Amino acid sequence: MTITSIISAIGNNSSVYPLIVRDCGIEVPTKIVLTYNQNKKESKGIAYLAARERFLDEYATSAVWLGGIPLVGWLCDKYIKARGLNPTVNLKLFKEEQGIQGVDYNIKKFKDIAPEAVKDLLKAKENKKLYEKLLAGKFIASTSIPILFMGFILPKLIFASSARKIDNLRKKEAEKKNISPVSFLQKERFYKSKDVNFTGSWVTKAANFSTQDKMAVTDGGYAVGRVATARNKNERYDLSFKMAGMMFLNFVAPKWIEKGLNILTGVELDPIILADKEFAEQIKDKTLKLPANDSAEELLKFVDNIENKDTLFVKYANKFNKIKMLDSGIRDPREYVDIKKLGKFRNDIEAFSKKSLNSSDFSLYIKSAKIAKSANILTNVALSSFLLAYVLPKAQFAFRKLITGSDLEPGLAPAEKIVDAK
Protein backbone atom coordinates (compact mmCIF):
# COMPACT_ATOMS: atom_id res chain seq x y z
CA MET A 1 0.00 0.00 0.00
CA THR A 2 1.41 3.40 -1.00
CA ILE A 3 1.67 6.40 1.31
CA THR A 4 -1.06 8.10 -0.74
CA SER A 5 -3.37 5.10 -0.24
CA ILE A 6 -2.72 5.13 3.52
CA ILE A 7 -3.45 8.86 3.76
CA SER A 8 -6.60 8.35 1.68
CA ALA A 9 -7.80 5.54 3.96
CA ILE A 10 -7.34 7.48 7.20
CA GLY A 11 -8.99 10.50 5.59
CA ASN A 12 -12.24 8.66 4.91
CA ASN A 13 -14.44 9.78 7.80
CA SER A 14 -17.13 7.30 6.75
CA SER A 15 -14.86 4.32 7.46
CA VAL A 16 -13.24 2.77 10.54
CA TYR A 17 -9.68 3.64 9.54
CA PRO A 18 -9.59 7.11 11.14
CA LEU A 19 -11.01 5.56 14.32
CA ILE A 20 -8.29 2.89 14.30
CA VAL A 21 -5.54 5.49 13.97
CA ARG A 22 -7.03 7.85 16.55
CA ASP A 23 -8.20 5.25 19.07
CA CYS A 24 -5.60 2.48 19.06
CA GLY A 25 -2.56 4.43 17.93
CA ILE A 26 -2.90 7.80 19.64
CA GLU A 27 -5.89 8.32 21.91
CA VAL A 28 -5.78 5.19 24.09
CA PRO A 29 -2.06 5.21 24.99
CA THR A 30 -2.21 8.93 25.77
CA LYS A 31 -5.32 8.54 27.91
CA ILE A 32 -3.73 5.71 29.91
CA VAL A 33 -0.72 7.90 30.73
CA LEU A 34 -2.90 10.93 31.55
CA THR A 35 -5.18 8.82 33.74
CA TYR A 36 -2.25 7.50 35.74
CA ASN A 37 -0.67 10.93 36.14
CA GLN A 38 -3.94 12.52 37.20
CA ASN A 39 -4.68 9.95 39.91
CA LYS A 40 -1.15 9.63 41.29
CA LYS A 41 -1.41 13.20 42.60
CA GLU A 42 -3.39 11.72 45.47
CA SER A 43 -2.71 7.98 45.38
CA LYS A 44 -0.31 5.84 43.36
CA GLY A 45 -2.31 2.75 44.30
CA ILE A 46 -5.50 4.21 42.86
CA ALA A 47 -3.52 5.56 39.87
CA TYR A 48 -2.34 2.03 39.06
CA LEU A 49 -5.88 0.65 39.23
CA ALA A 50 -7.30 3.53 37.20
CA ALA A 51 -4.69 3.08 34.44
CA ARG A 52 -5.32 -0.66 34.44
CA GLU A 53 -9.07 -0.12 34.09
CA ARG A 54 -8.52 2.33 31.24
CA PHE A 55 -6.20 -0.10 29.42
CA LEU A 56 -8.61 -3.06 29.67
CA ASP A 57 -11.64 -0.94 28.88
CA GLU A 58 -10.29 0.90 25.85
CA TYR A 59 -8.55 -1.98 24.09
CA ALA A 60 -11.35 -4.49 24.74
CA THR A 61 -13.80 -1.96 23.30
CA SER A 62 -11.57 -1.43 20.25
CA ALA A 63 -11.44 -5.21 19.74
CA VAL A 64 -15.24 -5.34 19.66
CA TRP A 65 -15.39 -2.40 17.26
CA LEU A 66 -12.84 -3.88 14.85
CA GLY A 67 -13.68 -7.57 15.13
CA GLY A 68 -16.94 -8.18 16.96
CA ILE A 69 -19.26 -5.93 14.96
CA PRO A 70 -18.06 -7.17 11.52
CA LEU A 71 -18.26 -10.78 12.78
CA VAL A 72 -21.89 -10.41 13.91
CA GLY A 73 -22.76 -8.79 10.57
CA TRP A 74 -21.04 -11.60 8.66
CA LEU A 75 -22.92 -14.27 10.61
CA CYS A 76 -26.22 -12.49 9.99
CA ASP A 77 -25.47 -12.29 6.26
CA LYS A 78 -24.72 -16.02 6.21
CA TYR A 79 -28.10 -16.72 7.82
CA ILE A 80 -29.95 -14.44 5.37
CA LYS A 81 -28.26 -16.18 2.43
CA ALA A 82 -29.24 -19.55 3.88
CA ARG A 83 -32.87 -18.37 3.65
CA GLY A 84 -32.35 -17.86 -0.10
CA LEU A 85 -32.06 -14.06 0.00
CA ASN A 86 -29.17 -11.73 -0.79
CA PRO A 87 -28.45 -9.16 1.98
CA THR A 88 -26.92 -6.72 -0.53
CA VAL A 89 -30.36 -5.75 -1.90
CA ASN A 90 -30.92 -2.23 -0.59
CA LEU A 91 -34.29 -1.67 1.08
CA LYS A 92 -34.38 1.90 -0.24
CA LEU A 93 -35.11 0.43 -3.67
CA PHE A 94 -38.57 -0.62 -2.49
CA LYS A 95 -39.49 3.04 -2.69
CA GLU A 96 -39.65 3.62 -6.44
CA GLU A 97 -38.08 6.81 -7.80
CA GLN A 98 -39.96 7.27 -11.04
CA GLY A 99 -37.70 6.92 -14.07
CA ILE A 100 -34.56 6.73 -11.90
CA GLN A 101 -34.36 3.61 -9.73
CA GLY A 102 -36.39 1.16 -7.66
CA VAL A 103 -37.00 -2.59 -7.44
CA ASP A 104 -39.49 -2.76 -10.31
CA TYR A 105 -37.60 -0.20 -12.38
CA ASN A 106 -34.26 -1.99 -11.92
CA ILE A 107 -35.76 -5.42 -12.64
CA LYS A 108 -37.10 -4.19 -15.94
CA LYS A 109 -33.95 -2.25 -16.85
CA PHE A 110 -31.33 -4.88 -15.93
CA LYS A 111 -33.15 -8.18 -16.57
CA ASP A 112 -31.18 -8.91 -19.74
CA ILE A 113 -27.79 -7.39 -18.85
CA ALA A 114 -27.48 -8.46 -15.19
CA PRO A 115 -29.80 -11.49 -14.83
CA GLU A 116 -28.18 -12.95 -11.68
CA ALA A 117 -28.48 -9.69 -9.76
CA VAL A 118 -32.08 -9.32 -10.95
CA LYS A 119 -32.87 -12.77 -9.52
CA ASP A 120 -31.90 -11.41 -6.11
CA LEU A 121 -34.19 -8.42 -6.64
CA LEU A 122 -37.07 -10.71 -7.60
CA LYS A 123 -36.57 -12.92 -4.53
CA ALA A 124 -36.44 -9.87 -2.26
CA LYS A 125 -39.61 -8.51 -3.86
CA GLU A 126 -41.45 -11.83 -3.55
CA ASN A 127 -40.41 -12.17 0.11
CA LYS A 128 -40.44 -8.51 1.09
CA LYS A 129 -41.83 -8.93 4.61
CA LEU A 130 -39.42 -11.75 5.45
CA TYR A 131 -36.50 -9.84 3.97
CA GLU A 132 -37.33 -6.73 5.97
CA LYS A 133 -37.56 -8.80 9.17
CA LEU A 134 -34.21 -10.45 8.46
CA LEU A 135 -32.49 -7.11 7.86
CA ALA A 136 -34.12 -5.67 10.97
CA GLY A 137 -32.81 -8.65 12.92
CA LYS A 138 -29.35 -8.10 11.49
CA PHE A 139 -29.45 -4.46 12.57
CA ILE A 140 -30.59 -5.32 16.09
CA ALA A 141 -28.03 -8.12 16.47
CA SER A 142 -25.09 -6.13 15.11
CA THR A 143 -25.85 -3.23 17.43
CA SER A 144 -27.37 -4.74 20.58
CA ILE A 145 -24.79 -7.53 21.02
CA PRO A 146 -21.79 -5.14 20.94
CA ILE A 147 -23.72 -2.66 23.11
CA LEU A 148 -24.49 -5.42 25.63
CA PHE A 149 -20.84 -6.39 25.86
CA MET A 150 -19.19 -2.96 25.71
CA GLY A 151 -21.78 -1.05 27.69
CA PHE A 152 -22.80 -3.53 30.37
CA ILE A 153 -20.82 -6.78 30.63
CA LEU A 154 -17.29 -5.40 30.14
CA PRO A 155 -17.51 -2.65 32.78
CA LYS A 156 -19.05 -5.12 35.26
CA LEU A 157 -16.11 -7.49 34.74
CA ILE A 158 -13.54 -4.71 35.06
CA PHE A 159 -15.24 -3.25 38.12
CA ALA A 160 -15.39 -6.68 39.78
CA SER A 161 -11.69 -7.22 39.11
CA SER A 162 -10.85 -3.77 40.50
CA ALA A 163 -13.01 -4.44 43.54
CA ARG A 164 -10.84 -7.41 44.50
CA LYS A 165 -7.67 -5.41 44.04
CA ILE A 166 -8.94 -2.41 45.98
CA ASP A 167 -9.98 -4.76 48.80
CA ASN A 168 -6.41 -6.07 48.99
CA LEU A 169 -5.10 -2.52 48.98
CA ARG A 170 -7.35 -1.57 51.87
CA LYS A 171 -6.47 -4.67 53.85
CA LYS A 172 -2.86 -3.55 53.72
CA GLU A 173 -3.86 -0.09 54.90
CA ALA A 174 -5.94 -1.61 57.70
CA GLU A 175 -2.94 -3.64 58.86
CA LYS A 176 -0.78 -0.51 58.87
CA LYS A 177 -3.36 1.27 61.04
CA ASN A 178 -3.81 -1.79 63.32
CA ILE A 179 -7.50 -1.92 62.43
CA SER A 180 -9.46 -5.12 61.96
CA PRO A 181 -9.50 -5.85 58.20
CA VAL A 182 -13.12 -6.98 58.41
CA SER A 183 -14.38 -3.83 60.13
CA PHE A 184 -12.20 -1.65 57.93
CA LEU A 185 -13.57 -3.15 54.73
CA GLN A 186 -17.13 -3.00 55.95
CA LYS A 187 -16.67 0.69 56.61
CA GLU A 188 -14.57 1.63 53.59
CA ARG A 189 -15.53 -0.76 50.79
CA PHE A 190 -15.98 1.33 47.68
CA TYR A 191 -17.81 -1.26 45.56
CA LYS A 192 -20.64 -3.29 47.03
CA SER A 193 -21.01 -6.94 46.01
CA LYS A 194 -24.61 -6.43 44.98
CA ASP A 195 -23.33 -4.25 42.13
CA VAL A 196 -21.51 -7.17 40.50
CA ASN A 197 -24.48 -8.92 38.95
CA PHE A 198 -25.82 -9.38 35.47
CA THR A 199 -29.55 -9.22 36.04
CA GLY A 200 -31.81 -7.02 34.00
CA SER A 201 -33.12 -6.98 30.48
CA TRP A 202 -30.16 -5.71 28.47
CA VAL A 203 -31.91 -6.57 25.21
CA THR A 204 -34.82 -4.33 26.13
CA LYS A 205 -32.48 -1.45 26.95
CA ALA A 206 -30.58 -1.87 23.67
CA ALA A 207 -33.78 -2.09 21.63
CA ASN A 208 -34.91 1.30 22.96
CA PHE A 209 -31.93 3.16 21.52
CA SER A 210 -33.03 5.21 18.49
CA THR A 211 -30.44 6.64 16.10
CA GLN A 212 -29.97 6.74 12.33
CA ASP A 213 -26.66 5.05 11.91
CA LYS A 214 -25.33 1.69 13.15
CA MET A 215 -22.06 3.14 14.40
CA ALA A 216 -23.84 5.94 16.24
CA VAL A 217 -26.34 3.44 17.67
CA THR A 218 -23.57 1.22 18.97
CA ASP A 219 -21.52 4.08 20.37
CA GLY A 220 -24.60 5.71 21.84
CA GLY A 221 -25.66 2.44 23.44
CA TYR A 222 -22.12 1.92 24.69
CA ALA A 223 -22.25 5.36 26.32
CA VAL A 224 -25.64 4.67 27.91
CA GLY A 225 -24.37 1.34 29.21
CA ARG A 226 -21.30 2.88 30.79
CA VAL A 227 -23.33 5.56 32.52
CA ALA A 228 -25.93 3.02 33.68
CA THR A 229 -23.26 0.75 35.20
CA ALA A 230 -21.41 3.56 36.98
CA ARG A 231 -20.46 2.69 40.54
CA ASN A 232 -21.72 5.91 42.10
CA LYS A 233 -23.30 9.26 41.30
CA ASN A 234 -20.01 11.10 40.79
CA GLU A 235 -18.74 8.45 38.38
CA ARG A 236 -22.02 8.72 36.48
CA TYR A 237 -21.50 12.47 36.01
CA ASP A 238 -17.86 11.92 35.08
CA LEU A 239 -18.70 9.27 32.47
CA SER A 240 -21.56 11.32 31.00
CA PHE A 241 -19.17 14.20 30.38
CA LYS A 242 -16.56 11.88 28.87
CA MET A 243 -18.96 9.93 26.62
CA ALA A 244 -20.68 13.05 25.28
CA GLY A 245 -17.29 14.49 24.39
CA MET A 246 -16.07 11.27 22.80
CA MET A 247 -19.14 10.93 20.57
CA PHE A 248 -18.86 14.52 19.41
CA LEU A 249 -15.11 14.33 18.76
CA ASN A 250 -15.32 10.92 17.04
CA PHE A 251 -18.31 11.41 14.77
CA VAL A 252 -19.04 15.12 14.37
CA ALA A 253 -15.87 17.16 14.84
CA PRO A 254 -13.73 15.33 12.19
CA LYS A 255 -16.35 16.02 9.51
CA TRP A 256 -16.55 19.68 10.53
CA ILE A 257 -12.74 19.93 10.48
CA GLU A 258 -12.61 18.20 7.08
CA LYS A 259 -15.19 20.57 5.63
CA GLY A 260 -13.38 23.62 6.99
CA LEU A 261 -9.98 22.49 5.67
CA ASN A 262 -11.45 21.68 2.25
CA ILE A 263 -12.97 25.16 2.05
CA LEU A 264 -9.68 26.69 3.16
CA THR A 265 -7.62 24.89 0.49
CA GLY A 266 -10.33 24.60 -2.16
CA VAL A 267 -9.54 20.88 -2.70
CA GLU A 268 -12.27 18.23 -2.33
CA LEU A 269 -10.90 15.29 -4.31
CA ASP A 270 -9.15 12.34 -2.70
CA PRO A 271 -5.33 12.25 -2.95
CA ILE A 272 -5.53 8.92 -4.82
CA ILE A 273 -7.34 10.68 -7.68
CA LEU A 274 -4.96 13.63 -7.56
CA ALA A 275 -1.96 11.26 -7.76
CA ASP A 276 -3.34 9.52 -10.88
CA LYS A 277 -1.22 10.63 -13.85
CA GLU A 278 -3.93 9.54 -16.29
CA PHE A 279 -6.38 11.83 -14.50
CA ALA A 280 -4.02 14.80 -14.91
CA GLU A 281 -3.35 13.96 -18.56
CA GLN A 282 -7.04 13.71 -19.41
CA ILE A 283 -7.72 17.09 -17.80
CA LYS A 284 -4.83 18.68 -19.69
CA ASP A 285 -5.86 17.09 -23.00
CA LYS A 286 -9.53 17.88 -22.30
CA THR A 287 -10.44 14.21 -22.83
CA LEU A 288 -11.85 13.61 -19.34
CA LYS A 289 -15.38 12.28 -19.72
CA LEU A 290 -18.07 13.31 -17.23
CA PRO A 291 -21.88 13.22 -17.11
CA ALA A 292 -23.37 16.30 -18.83
CA ASN A 293 -24.69 17.61 -15.50
CA ASP A 294 -25.56 16.44 -11.98
CA SER A 295 -29.19 15.48 -12.67
CA ALA A 296 -30.21 11.91 -11.81
CA GLU A 297 -31.07 11.17 -15.43
CA GLU A 298 -27.70 12.30 -16.78
CA LEU A 299 -25.65 10.68 -14.01
CA LEU A 300 -27.25 7.25 -14.39
CA LYS A 301 -27.35 7.49 -18.18
CA PHE A 302 -23.59 8.04 -18.17
CA VAL A 303 -22.84 5.28 -15.65
CA ASP A 304 -25.15 2.76 -17.33
CA ASN A 305 -23.68 3.35 -20.78
CA ILE A 306 -21.41 0.34 -21.25
CA GLU A 307 -19.06 2.50 -23.34
CA ASN A 308 -18.25 4.51 -20.20
CA LYS A 309 -17.40 1.56 -17.94
CA ASP A 310 -13.65 2.23 -18.20
CA THR A 311 -13.84 5.99 -17.68
CA LEU A 312 -12.08 7.50 -14.69
CA PHE A 313 -15.38 8.89 -13.43
CA VAL A 314 -16.96 5.42 -13.21
CA LYS A 315 -13.74 3.90 -11.89
CA TYR A 316 -13.43 6.32 -8.99
CA ALA A 317 -17.16 6.57 -8.31
CA ASN A 318 -17.05 2.80 -7.79
CA LYS A 319 -13.86 2.92 -5.70
CA PHE A 320 -15.24 5.57 -3.35
CA ASN A 321 -18.66 3.88 -3.00
CA LYS A 322 -20.75 6.40 -4.92
CA ILE A 323 -21.93 3.47 -7.06
CA LYS A 324 -21.25 -0.25 -7.16
CA MET A 325 -20.23 -1.93 -10.40
CA LEU A 326 -20.38 -5.64 -11.22
CA ASP A 327 -17.33 -7.38 -12.71
CA SER A 328 -19.08 -7.25 -16.07
CA GLY A 329 -18.95 -3.45 -16.04
CA ILE A 330 -22.69 -3.14 -15.37
CA ARG A 331 -23.96 -1.12 -12.40
CA ASP A 332 -25.22 -3.42 -9.65
CA PRO A 333 -29.05 -3.08 -9.73
CA ARG A 334 -29.28 -4.31 -6.11
CA GLU A 335 -27.52 -1.19 -4.84
CA TYR A 336 -29.21 2.14 -4.19
CA VAL A 337 -27.51 5.16 -5.76
CA ASP A 338 -27.34 8.30 -3.63
CA ILE A 339 -27.82 10.81 -6.45
CA LYS A 340 -26.80 13.76 -4.29
CA LYS A 341 -23.43 12.22 -3.39
CA LEU A 342 -22.76 11.06 -6.94
CA GLY A 343 -23.69 14.50 -8.28
CA LYS A 344 -21.35 16.23 -5.81
CA PHE A 345 -18.54 13.89 -6.84
CA ARG A 346 -19.10 14.81 -10.47
CA ASN A 347 -19.19 18.53 -9.68
CA ASP A 348 -16.02 18.34 -7.58
CA ILE A 349 -14.15 16.76 -10.50
CA GLU A 350 -15.46 19.37 -12.92
CA ALA A 351 -14.58 22.26 -10.59
CA PHE A 352 -11.05 20.92 -10.06
CA SER A 353 -10.57 20.45 -13.80
CA LYS A 354 -11.51 24.07 -14.51
CA LYS A 355 -9.28 25.44 -11.75
CA SER A 356 -6.27 23.41 -12.85
CA LEU A 357 -6.66 24.43 -16.51
CA ASN A 358 -6.96 28.09 -15.53
CA SER A 359 -3.86 27.97 -13.32
CA SER A 360 -0.58 29.54 -14.47
CA ASP A 361 1.29 26.25 -13.99
CA PHE A 362 -0.85 23.15 -14.54
CA SER A 363 1.64 20.56 -13.23
CA LEU A 364 2.44 22.63 -10.14
CA TYR A 365 -1.26 23.10 -9.42
CA ILE A 366 -1.93 19.34 -9.54
CA LYS A 367 1.06 18.63 -7.31
CA SER A 368 0.13 21.38 -4.84
CA ALA A 369 -3.46 20.14 -4.68
CA LYS A 370 -2.30 16.62 -3.80
CA ILE A 371 -0.01 17.96 -1.07
CA ALA A 372 -2.75 20.25 0.26
CA LYS A 373 -5.33 17.46 0.43
CA SER A 374 -2.87 15.07 2.09
CA ALA A 375 -1.98 17.81 4.58
CA ASN A 376 -5.70 18.37 5.24
CA ILE A 377 -6.16 14.70 6.12
CA LEU A 378 -3.10 14.51 8.36
CA THR A 379 -4.06 17.80 10.04
CA ASN A 380 -7.57 16.47 10.66
CA VAL A 381 -6.24 13.26 12.21
CA ALA A 382 -3.69 15.15 14.31
CA LEU A 383 -6.16 17.79 15.48
CA SER A 384 -9.02 15.39 16.25
CA SER A 385 -6.56 13.03 17.98
CA PHE A 386 -5.20 15.90 20.08
CA LEU A 387 -8.74 16.89 21.06
CA LEU A 388 -9.63 13.29 21.96
CA ALA A 389 -6.39 12.21 23.57
CA TYR A 390 -5.41 15.36 25.46
CA VAL A 391 -8.03 18.13 25.51
CA LEU A 392 -11.02 15.93 26.39
CA PRO A 393 -9.27 14.08 29.26
CA LYS A 394 -7.98 17.39 30.66
CA ALA A 395 -11.48 18.87 30.44
CA GLN A 396 -12.87 15.73 32.08
CA PHE A 397 -10.33 15.99 34.92
CA ALA A 398 -11.25 19.63 35.48
CA PHE A 399 -14.95 18.73 35.49
CA ARG A 400 -14.26 15.89 37.93
CA LYS A 401 -12.34 18.19 40.24
CA LEU A 402 -15.21 20.66 40.14
CA ILE A 403 -17.94 18.18 41.08
CA THR A 404 -15.99 15.89 43.43
CA GLY A 405 -13.18 18.08 44.75
CA SER A 406 -10.74 15.22 44.03
CA ASP A 407 -8.38 14.17 41.22
CA LEU A 408 -9.15 10.47 41.80
CA GLU A 409 -11.35 8.34 39.55
CA PRO A 410 -14.84 8.67 41.13
CA GLY A 411 -15.47 4.92 40.87
CA LEU A 412 -12.22 4.08 42.67
CA ALA A 413 -11.96 6.96 45.13
CA PRO A 414 -12.33 5.85 48.79
CA ALA A 415 -14.46 7.60 51.31
CA GLU A 416 -11.24 8.64 53.01
CA LYS A 417 -7.90 9.19 51.30
CA ILE A 418 -5.77 6.03 51.15
CA VAL A 419 -2.03 6.14 51.68
CA ASP A 420 -0.24 4.81 48.55
CA ALA A 421 0.21 1.08 48.56
CA LYS A 422 0.74 -1.01 45.44
Side-chain angles (χ1 to χ4, degrees), residues 86-91 93 106 110 116-121 131 324 326 331-336:
N86 192 324
T88 62
V89 176
N90 197 309
L91 282 177
L93 291 173
N106 285 7
F110 292 92
E116 292 303 314
V118 168
K119 286 181 182 179
D120 291 332
L121 285 174
Y131 185 59
K324 183 178 179 181
L326 300 172
R331 175 168 62 88
D332 191 339
R334 297 165 297 194
E335 292 290 333
Y336 178 84

Short mmCIF file of all heavy atoms in Angstrom, two decimals, residues 86-91 93 106 110 116-121 131 324 326 331-336:
data_model
loop_
_atom_site.label_atom_id
_atom_site.label_comp_id
_atom_site.label_asym_id
_atom_site.label_seq_id
_atom_site.Cartn_x
_atom_site.Cartn_y
_atom_site.Cartn_z
N ASN A 86 -30.47 -12.39 -0.73
CA ASN A 86 -29.17 -11.73 -0.79
C ASN A 86 -29.21 -10.44 0.04
O ASN A 86 -29.97 -9.52 -0.30
CB ASN A 86 -28.79 -11.42 -2.24
CG ASN A 86 -27.33 -11.00 -2.38
OD1 ASN A 86 -26.78 -10.32 -1.52
ND2 ASN A 86 -26.71 -11.40 -3.47
N PRO A 87 -28.39 -10.34 1.10
CA PRO A 87 -28.45 -9.16 1.98
C PRO A 87 -27.94 -7.87 1.35
O PRO A 87 -28.03 -6.81 1.96
CB PRO A 87 -27.57 -9.58 3.16
CG PRO A 87 -26.64 -10.59 2.60
CD PRO A 87 -27.43 -11.34 1.56
N THR A 88 -27.41 -7.94 0.12
CA THR A 88 -26.92 -6.72 -0.53
C THR A 88 -28.04 -5.92 -1.21
O THR A 88 -27.82 -4.79 -1.64
CB THR A 88 -25.84 -7.04 -1.58
OG1 THR A 88 -26.41 -7.85 -2.62
CG2 THR A 88 -24.67 -7.76 -0.95
N VAL A 89 -29.23 -6.50 -1.31
CA VAL A 89 -30.36 -5.75 -1.90
C VAL A 89 -30.73 -4.62 -0.94
O VAL A 89 -31.08 -4.86 0.21
CB VAL A 89 -31.57 -6.67 -2.15
CG1 VAL A 89 -32.76 -5.85 -2.66
CG2 VAL A 89 -31.22 -7.75 -3.16
N ASN A 90 -30.66 -3.39 -1.43
CA ASN A 90 -30.92 -2.23 -0.59
C ASN A 90 -32.42 -1.99 -0.43
O ASN A 90 -33.15 -1.89 -1.42
CB ASN A 90 -30.25 -1.00 -1.20
CG ASN A 90 -30.12 0.15 -0.22
OD1 ASN A 90 -31.09 0.54 0.43
ND2 ASN A 90 -28.91 0.69 -0.11
N LEU A 91 -32.86 -1.87 0.81
CA LEU A 91 -34.29 -1.67 1.08
C LEU A 91 -34.82 -0.36 0.52
O LEU A 91 -36.02 -0.22 0.29
CB LEU A 91 -34.55 -1.72 2.58
CG LEU A 91 -34.59 -3.11 3.24
CD1 LEU A 91 -34.79 -2.98 4.73
CD2 LEU A 91 -35.68 -3.97 2.61
N LEU A 93 -34.60 0.66 -2.32
CA LEU A 93 -35.11 0.43 -3.67
C LEU A 93 -36.60 0.09 -3.68
O LEU A 93 -37.24 0.17 -4.73
CB LEU A 93 -34.32 -0.69 -4.35
CG LEU A 93 -32.86 -0.37 -4.69
CD1 LEU A 93 -32.15 -1.62 -5.20
CD2 LEU A 93 -32.76 0.75 -5.71
N ASN A 106 -35.55 -1.32 -11.69
CA ASN A 106 -34.26 -1.99 -11.92
C ASN A 106 -34.43 -3.39 -12.49
O ASN A 106 -33.63 -3.85 -13.31
CB ASN A 106 -33.45 -2.05 -10.62
CG ASN A 106 -32.86 -0.70 -10.24
OD1 ASN A 106 -33.15 0.32 -10.87
ND2 ASN A 106 -32.03 -0.67 -9.21
N PHE A 110 -32.54 -4.06 -15.96
CA PHE A 110 -31.33 -4.88 -15.93
C PHE A 110 -31.58 -6.37 -16.16
O PHE A 110 -30.65 -7.17 -16.07
CB PHE A 110 -30.62 -4.71 -14.58
CG PHE A 110 -30.03 -3.35 -14.35
CD1 PHE A 110 -30.76 -2.35 -13.72
CD2 PHE A 110 -28.74 -3.05 -14.78
CE1 PHE A 110 -30.21 -1.09 -13.50
CE2 PHE A 110 -28.18 -1.80 -14.56
CZ PHE A 110 -28.92 -0.81 -13.92
N GLU A 116 -28.39 -12.36 -13.00
CA GLU A 116 -28.18 -12.95 -11.68
C GLU A 116 -28.53 -11.96 -10.57
O GLU A 116 -29.15 -12.33 -9.56
CB GLU A 116 -26.72 -13.41 -11.53
CG GLU A 116 -26.34 -14.59 -12.42
CD GLU A 116 -27.22 -15.80 -12.16
OE1 GLU A 116 -27.45 -16.13 -10.98
OE2 GLU A 116 -27.69 -16.41 -13.14
N ALA A 117 -28.15 -10.72 -10.75
CA ALA A 117 -28.48 -9.69 -9.76
C ALA A 117 -29.98 -9.45 -9.72
O ALA A 117 -30.56 -9.24 -8.64
CB ALA A 117 -27.74 -8.40 -10.09
N VAL A 118 -30.63 -9.52 -10.88
CA VAL A 118 -32.08 -9.32 -10.95
C VAL A 118 -32.81 -10.45 -10.24
O VAL A 118 -33.88 -10.23 -9.63
CB VAL A 118 -32.53 -9.20 -12.42
CG1 VAL A 118 -34.05 -9.30 -12.54
CG2 VAL A 118 -32.05 -7.88 -13.02
N LYS A 119 -32.27 -11.66 -10.26
CA LYS A 119 -32.87 -12.77 -9.52
C LYS A 119 -32.96 -12.45 -8.03
O LYS A 119 -33.95 -12.76 -7.36
CB LYS A 119 -32.06 -14.05 -9.72
CG LYS A 119 -32.22 -14.70 -11.09
CD LYS A 119 -31.40 -15.98 -11.17
CE LYS A 119 -31.51 -16.61 -12.55
NZ LYS A 119 -30.68 -17.86 -12.65
N ASP A 120 -31.91 -11.81 -7.53
CA ASP A 120 -31.90 -11.41 -6.11
C ASP A 120 -32.97 -10.36 -5.84
O ASP A 120 -33.62 -10.38 -4.78
CB ASP A 120 -30.53 -10.86 -5.73
CG ASP A 120 -29.45 -11.93 -5.72
OD1 ASP A 120 -29.79 -13.10 -5.49
OD2 ASP A 120 -28.27 -11.59 -5.94
N LEU A 121 -33.15 -9.44 -6.78
CA LEU A 121 -34.19 -8.42 -6.64
C LEU A 121 -35.58 -9.07 -6.62
O LEU A 121 -36.44 -8.69 -5.82
CB LEU A 121 -34.10 -7.40 -7.77
CG LEU A 121 -32.98 -6.37 -7.71
CD1 LEU A 121 -32.95 -5.55 -9.00
CD2 LEU A 121 -33.14 -5.45 -6.51
N TYR A 131 -37.79 -10.50 4.18
CA TYR A 131 -36.50 -9.84 3.97
C TYR A 131 -36.33 -8.65 4.91
O TYR A 131 -35.26 -8.44 5.50
CB TYR A 131 -36.38 -9.40 2.51
CG TYR A 131 -35.02 -8.81 2.16
CD1 TYR A 131 -33.87 -9.56 2.33
CD2 TYR A 131 -34.91 -7.52 1.66
CE1 TYR A 131 -32.62 -9.03 2.00
CE2 TYR A 131 -33.68 -6.98 1.33
CZ TYR A 131 -32.54 -7.75 1.52
OH TYR A 131 -31.31 -7.21 1.21
N LYS A 324 -21.89 1.05 -7.23
CA LYS A 324 -21.25 -0.25 -7.16
C LYS A 324 -21.38 -0.92 -8.52
O LYS A 324 -22.49 -1.07 -9.03
CB LYS A 324 -21.87 -1.13 -6.07
CG LYS A 324 -21.16 -2.48 -5.93
CD LYS A 324 -21.75 -3.31 -4.80
CE LYS A 324 -21.03 -4.66 -4.71
NZ LYS A 324 -21.61 -5.51 -3.64
N LEU A 326 -20.63 -4.21 -11.13
CA LEU A 326 -20.38 -5.64 -11.22
C LEU A 326 -19.11 -5.87 -12.04
O LEU A 326 -18.62 -4.97 -12.73
CB LEU A 326 -21.56 -6.35 -11.89
CG LEU A 326 -22.91 -6.21 -11.19
CD1 LEU A 326 -24.02 -6.78 -12.07
CD2 LEU A 326 -22.88 -6.92 -9.83
N ARG A 331 -23.65 -1.59 -13.76
CA ARG A 331 -23.96 -1.12 -12.40
C ARG A 331 -24.82 -2.16 -11.69
O ARG A 331 -25.75 -2.72 -12.26
CB ARG A 331 -24.71 0.21 -12.49
CG ARG A 331 -25.19 0.74 -11.12
CD ARG A 331 -25.65 2.17 -11.23
NE ARG A 331 -26.79 2.34 -12.13
CZ ARG A 331 -28.06 2.24 -11.77
NH1 ARG A 331 -28.38 1.93 -10.52
NH2 ARG A 331 -29.02 2.43 -12.66
N ASP A 332 -24.50 -2.43 -10.43
CA ASP A 332 -25.22 -3.42 -9.65
C ASP A 332 -26.64 -2.90 -9.36
O ASP A 332 -26.81 -1.92 -8.63
CB ASP A 332 -24.49 -3.68 -8.34
CG ASP A 332 -25.02 -4.89 -7.59
OD1 ASP A 332 -26.18 -5.28 -7.85
OD2 ASP A 332 -24.30 -5.44 -6.73
N PRO A 333 -27.67 -3.56 -9.93
CA PRO A 333 -29.05 -3.08 -9.73
C PRO A 333 -29.58 -3.31 -8.32
O PRO A 333 -30.64 -2.79 -7.97
CB PRO A 333 -29.84 -3.90 -10.75
CG PRO A 333 -29.06 -5.16 -10.92
CD PRO A 333 -27.62 -4.74 -10.80
N ARG A 334 -28.84 -4.07 -7.49
CA ARG A 334 -29.28 -4.31 -6.11
C ARG A 334 -28.91 -3.16 -5.18
O ARG A 334 -29.40 -3.08 -4.06
CB ARG A 334 -28.65 -5.61 -5.58
CG ARG A 334 -29.07 -6.85 -6.34
CD ARG A 334 -28.16 -8.02 -6.05
NE ARG A 334 -26.79 -7.77 -6.49
CZ ARG A 334 -25.85 -8.71 -6.59
NH1 ARG A 334 -26.14 -9.97 -6.28
NH2 ARG A 334 -24.64 -8.42 -6.98
N GLU A 335 -28.02 -2.29 -5.66
CA GLU A 335 -27.52 -1.19 -4.84
C GLU A 335 -28.29 0.10 -5.12
O GLU A 335 -28.60 0.41 -6.27
CB GLU A 335 -26.04 -0.95 -5.11
CG GLU A 335 -25.14 -2.07 -4.62
CD GLU A 335 -25.06 -2.12 -3.10
OE1 GLU A 335 -25.23 -1.07 -2.45
OE2 GLU A 335 -24.84 -3.23 -2.57
N TYR A 336 -28.56 0.84 -4.07
CA TYR A 336 -29.21 2.14 -4.19
C TYR A 336 -28.16 3.20 -4.48
O TYR A 336 -27.08 3.19 -3.88
CB TYR A 336 -29.95 2.49 -2.90
CG TYR A 336 -30.62 3.84 -2.91
CD1 TYR A 336 -31.88 4.01 -3.48
CD2 TYR A 336 -29.99 4.94 -2.34
CE1 TYR A 336 -32.50 5.25 -3.48
CE2 TYR A 336 -30.60 6.19 -2.34
CZ TYR A 336 -31.85 6.34 -2.92
OH TYR A 336 -32.45 7.57 -2.93
#
